[in-house]
Amino acid sequence: MAIEISNYISMAIRSALPILICGIGLVFGSRAGIVNIGAEGFMLIGAFMGVVGSYLFSSAWIGVLVAMLSSMLISLIFAYFTVTVKADQVVVGMGINMLAIGLTTTLFRRLFGMNTEPIKIESFSPLAIPGLSDIPILGTSLFTQHAPAYLIFLCIPLASFILFRTDIGLKVRAVGEHPRACDTVGINVFKVRYGAILFSGLMAGFAGAYLTLGLLNFFVEDLMAGRGYMAVAAVVFGKYSPVGVMLAALIFGAGDALQYRLQAGGSVIPYQFLLMIPYVLTILAICGFVGENKGPAAMAQPYIKE
Amino acid sequence: MESKTTRSKVLSSLSTASFPVLAVIAALVIGAVLIFILGLDWRLAYKSLLQGSLGTKKAIAESLVKTTPLYFTGLSFAIAKRCGLINLGAEGQVYMGGLFAAFIGLSFAGLPRYIHLPLTVMMGFIGGGLLGLITGVLKVRFGASELITGIMFNYIAIKLVSFFVTGPLKEPGDLDQTAIMEVSAQIPRIIENTRLHAGLIIALLCLVFFYIFLWKTTSGYEMRVVGMNRGAAEYSGISISKNVLLAMALAGGFAGLAGCCEVIGVQFRLFQDFSPQYGYEGLPVALLGNSHPVGILLSGLLFGVLKSGSNTMKMLAQVPVAVIQIIQALVIIFVAGREIYNLTKLLRRNKQLEKAGGMNGN
């Protein structure tokens, strides 16, 4: 029983991580007034380039680095069209998602061919923290994660601090609330929004790479399964704060792990209904908690300088 | 001064018409560059694409088969857009339309076609419409953005269809699919020896309905007011909630028809993943067509041709089918970013003004 609980918690955390990592980046984007539906595409690019990087350089960490840089490049396109050209953020985001599917499918076929044998890549292996990992249940589930997991959980207080206690965070939040006022006091709205979007891209790339190099250990064309959209939902559900996103991601991860658990346990419920759990949870989360917090005032509005 | 404003008006209306064409050309050029980078022959690729989609009578019919669902999903995005909404749940609505149509199409053997077929089509509309309506209700009642809930419903609907075709509706045998639809529920083919079916006519009728409803009726007018200016609509006593619900139900219904016509017009069966992203592809169709019936008529045809020629392009030029998806994505981004066009124009005009100003100074 203890082992099962420990396995379940461990699985929940692992499933939550891609959503969490991507979500931290999206918090900054959202706070700056950007609705980033394109996160799904950013993450897919990261997932693919992570595999490519790890394959070429035989190192999962270099894979992550390649993924982050590639996603940031794609997010630059998003930033140009939404901030400079002032195009509709949702529409451009969907365009980016379609572009990412097209690009990764084309390149995957071109680079790795159609061979059915999975390609060998370096992926992350669990890293037990000496001492802590010996604690029953909590220790084995919390402290035998992959190395990036620890890094991310350490990043959350840092992200909170930056967002709520520093000058950069203040600028990001102000730009999302009242870009016109920011402009008058000399804050460069465009620059802040570009920065927030690029940071979202960077983190989405990390999230994607974790998905392929930590969670799944392979790349298939439809591996995203809406995780990027869930990250967007987690930001709303988590009330636009890093800690909130962490809780939201953990709830979604718990749903995902529950579905694995029930499938493995031979549940009487048809597996398709189990697969629906994370999506139903996301809808419930959005419906139950959106009303209280509307998010930044200038959400989704392009800023037009006078 | 007056002549200048008239001139700029003419110029701007010209640019409205020419812009979509420019966006498509730019996307095709980048597509060609990409094919070249992949080390393949882009000229052969585009040639085989055209040959595969328009080369023979059969190819043209097949292009129209691919165009039909795009008209429906294009309309789905367009009607939501006209009400100020973005219906990202079209893919799920396509699946629900197919599922509901299959329920009716598989039962009532012996019913005359003139009752069975309209009933099945109607159920397809209702299947998609219900899902659209639910998305609308969640928005109106709980303030849940239709973007996220719509996308989540896509995954749920696809899994629901998967459940039915592997379970209750599964035909005996190895394949996860339903039995063939009753003949009385099948949409008749228009041209013999092709798959072109009368669903195209339903799609064209929907385009006409879309035009009449939005531009010739009071409810349609109200819906457009809500889409253009929510505040003004509220001020003049137009119910936002009512229009959001109606728009989402209609959007879902249109998408549902796409799924329904695939099931009872093309495949005659329901199976997993029967829609190759028709729901998402409605977005570029509506966007390029400026959510206008004539625009959708043309852009749907364009994307239908691209889609139907892509297999020949893969066979003859070894270009992956996904390149078409890249081209579609670029069209979305370029059309959405149409301001680029105006930006460059503005820069040019500013330069000219500077020049003129300089001359005046002399």
Side-chain angles (χ1 to χ4, degrees):
Chain A
M1 191 62 198
I3 292 174
E4 273 191 19
I5 294 175
S6 151
N7 279 348
Y8 174 73
I9 297 176
S10 173
M11 187 64 214
I13 293 172
R14 276 208 298 278
S15 308
L17 273 168
I19 298 173
L20 171 59
I21 303 171
C22 185
I24 292 176
L26 288 176
V27 165
F28 283 81
S30 305
R31 283 283 184 172
I34 307 288
V35 178
N36 196 344
I37 294 277
E40 178 93 355
F42 294 179
M43 209 159 145
L44 178 58
I45 293 280
F48 176 72
M49 290 312 285
V51 167
V52 172
S54 168
Y55 177 75
L56 290 180
F57 299 101
S58 309
S59 153
W61 282 109
I62 297 186
V64 169
L65 196 70
V66 172
M68 288 169 93
L69 291 176
S70 318
S71 295
M72 206 166 84
L73 213 64
I74 289 284
S75 70
L76 189 64
I77 301 178
F78 178 83
Y80 175 73
F81 277 94
T82 54
V83 178
T84 308
V85 184
K86 300 169 186 61
D88 187 306
Q89 293 170 2
V90 175
V91 173
V92 173
M94 285 310 280
I96 292 281
N97 292 344
M98 218 179 257
L99 185 69
I101 295 173
L103 278 176
T104 52
T105 311
T106 308
L107 291 175
F108 184 64
R109 299 250 165 102
R110 206 66 198 151
L111 291 177
F112 300 112
M114 288 297 287
N115 49 353
T116 40
E117 210 173 301
I119 45 161
K120 270 209 182 323
I121 45 168
E122 282 299 315
S123 48
F124 289 109
S125 44
L127 178 74
I129 305 271
L132 290 172
S133 61
D134 297 332
I135 307 169
I137 303 182
L138 276 185
T140 41
S141 53
L142 296 184
F143 298 108
T144 54
Q145 295 284 342
H146 300 123
Y150 306 116
L151 190 68
I152 284 309
F153 282 105
L154 289 177
C155 272
I156 291 168
L158 183 69
S160 273
F161 180 80
I162 293 174
L163 189 60
F164 297 113
R165 294 275 179 275
T166 65
D167 192 40
I168 300 171
L170 181 66
K171 275 182 187 167
V172 168
R173 285 181 292 134
V175 160
E177 289 295 342
H178 208 314
R180 177 85 58 221
C182 288
D183 202 9
T184 10
V185 297
I187 298 172
N188 189 332
V189 178
F190 288 1
K191 223 159 135 187
V192 172
R193 287 195 167 169
Y194 260 91
I197 293 172
L198 290 181
F199 179 63
S200 304
L202 202 73
M203 293 305 276
F206 189 178
Y210 181 77
L211 192 59
T212 41
L213 301 178
L215 195 61
L216 305 173
N217 297 332
F218 59 84
F219 181 86
V220 281
E221 281 148 21
D222 54 355
L223 89 172
M224 284 304 300
R227 286 186 176 87
Y229 301 121
M230 283 185 197
V232 178
V235 172
V236 179
F237 182 37
K239 300 193 174 149
Y240 307 91
S241 87
V243 175
V245 170
M246 181 183 75
L247 296 175
L250 285 174
I251 290 173
F252 293 165
D256 209 24
L258 180 68
Q259 158 240 313
Y260 282 120
R261 194 83 216 104
L262 289 172
Q263 269 198 65
S267 146
V268 285
I269 308 165
Y271 74 94
Q272 288 96 344
F273 290 97
L274 300 176
L275 289 176
M276 288 180 196
I277 292 174
Y279 307 109
V280 173
L281 261 178
T282 308
I283 292 176
L284 290 178
I286 290 282
C287 290
F289 295 88
V290 150
E292 302 165 33
N293 192 331
K294 289 259 186 253
M299 196 63 133
Q301 291 161 8
Y303 177 63
I304 299 156
K305 222 176 152 111
E306 275 178 343
Chain B
M1 197 62 200
E2 207 176 321
S3 72
K4 206 171 193 177
T5 49
T6 338
R7 216 181 122 213
S8 67
K9 257 186 198 162
V10 172
L11 267 178
S12 78
S13 69
L14 252 180
S15 74
T16 318
S18 66
F19 187 79
V21 180
L22 282 177
V24 171
I25 292 174
L28 286 173
V29 168
I30 296 181
V33 172
L34 193 80
I35 294 171
F36 179 76
I37 293 173
L38 288 175
L40 299 165
D41 183 352
W42 67 271
R43 259 183 262 181
L44 179 66
Y46 283 167
K47 217 179 98 186
S48 43
L49 183 86
L50 282 179
Q51 196 186 326
S53 54
L54 302 168
T56 59
K57 189 178 130 192
K58 202 162 184 166
I60 295 174
E62 195 55 30
S63 294
L64 289 173
V65 171
K66 295 282 192 303
T67 303
T68 305
L70 296 181
Y71 280 157
F72 287 123
T73 53
L75 280 172
S76 177
F77 272 98
I79 194 131
K81 181 85 185 95
R82 288 285 176 190
C83 190
L85 303 161
I86 300 184
N87 178 25
L88 294 182
E91 185 75 358
Q93 292 148 11
V94 169
Y95 275 84
M96 290 312 284
L99 181 64
F100 273 51
F103 284 146
I104 304 300
L106 289 169
S107 31
F108 305 115
L111 214 62
R113 175 173 259 172
Y114 63 87
I115 298 177
H116 202 180
L117 182 56
L119 191 70
T120 314
V121 173
M122 211 173 73
M123 281 308 280
F125 184 87
I126 290 175
L130 267 179
L131 189 56
L133 188 64
I134 294 172
T135 316
V137 168
L138 294 183
K139 184 182 177 74
V140 170
R141 176 73 184 76
F142 300 105
S145 151
E146 79 278 12
L147 303 171
I148 300 290
T149 56
I151 292 171
M152 293 300 131
F153 277 128
N154 290 343
Y155 293 100
I156 293 173
I158 290 169
K159 285 174 177 61
L160 194 65
V161 167
S162 160
F163 163 69
F164 274 102
V165 299
T166 54
L169 292 183
K170 184 176 176 333
E171 145 189 86
D174 296 334
L175 296 173
D176 287 332
Q177 58 182 22
T178 65
I180 290 201
M181 301 289 139
E182 294 295 333
V183 178
S184 51
Q186 293 181 3
I187 300 178
R189 301 262 145 108
I190 309 178
I191 301 175
E192 255 177 72
N193 297 325
T194 71
R195 298 202 297 171
L196 184 59
H197 56 88
L200 178 63
I201 297 170
I202 303 177
L204 294 176
L205 287 175
C206 284
L207 279 169
V208 175
F209 166 80
F210 176 80
Y211 175 73
I212 293 174
F213 173 73
L214 278 179
W215 280 278
K216 301 287 170 209
T217 71
T218 322
S219 330
Y221 170 76
E222 287 187 358
M223 192 177 279
R224 283 188 297 127
V225 174
V226 172
M228 278 185 285
N229 191 334
R230 226 160 249 224
E234 215 161 13
Y235 186 73
S236 51
I238 298 173
S239 162
I240 309 272
S241 313
K242 198 194 92 188
N243 278 290
V244 166
L245 293 179
L246 181 62
M248 283 310 291
L250 284 173
F254 283 137
L257 285 178
C260 165
C261 288
E262 278 300 292
V263 170
I264 61 170
V266 183
Q267 314 288 355
F268 299 136
R269 296 177 192 273
L270 181 70
F271 47 87
Q272 299 195 44
D273 305 326
F274 74 92
S275 160
Q277 309 258 317
Y278 282 133
Y280 292 108
E281 284 167 352
L283 175 63
V285 171
L287 201 63
L288 188 65
N290 201 17
S291 298
H292 188 278
V294 179
I296 294 171
L297 188 78
L298 296 173
S299 66
L301 197 61
L302 172 79
F303 288 115
V305 162
L306 287 179
K307 207 174 172 73
S308 114
S310 61
N311 280 325
T312 318
M313 179 179 81
K314 191 187 166 201
M315 257 189 315
L316 297 181
Q318 280 79 48
V319 174
V321 174
V323 166
I324 297 299
Q325 227 162 355
I326 298 177
I327 293 174
Q328 273 177 341
L330 292 173
V331 169
I332 296 183
I333 296 171
F334 290 151
V335 175
R338 60 181 312 150
E339 287 298 318
I340 285 189
Y341 193 63
N342 298 346
L343 273 181
T344 49
K345 191 159 263 179
L346 205 72
L347 279 178
R348 215 179 303 150
R349 197 173 297 160
N350 280 352
K351 259 187 198 157
Q352 272 171 359
L353 278 178
E354 256 170 44
K355 230 181 186 177
M359 275 189 323
N360 282 349
N362 284 340

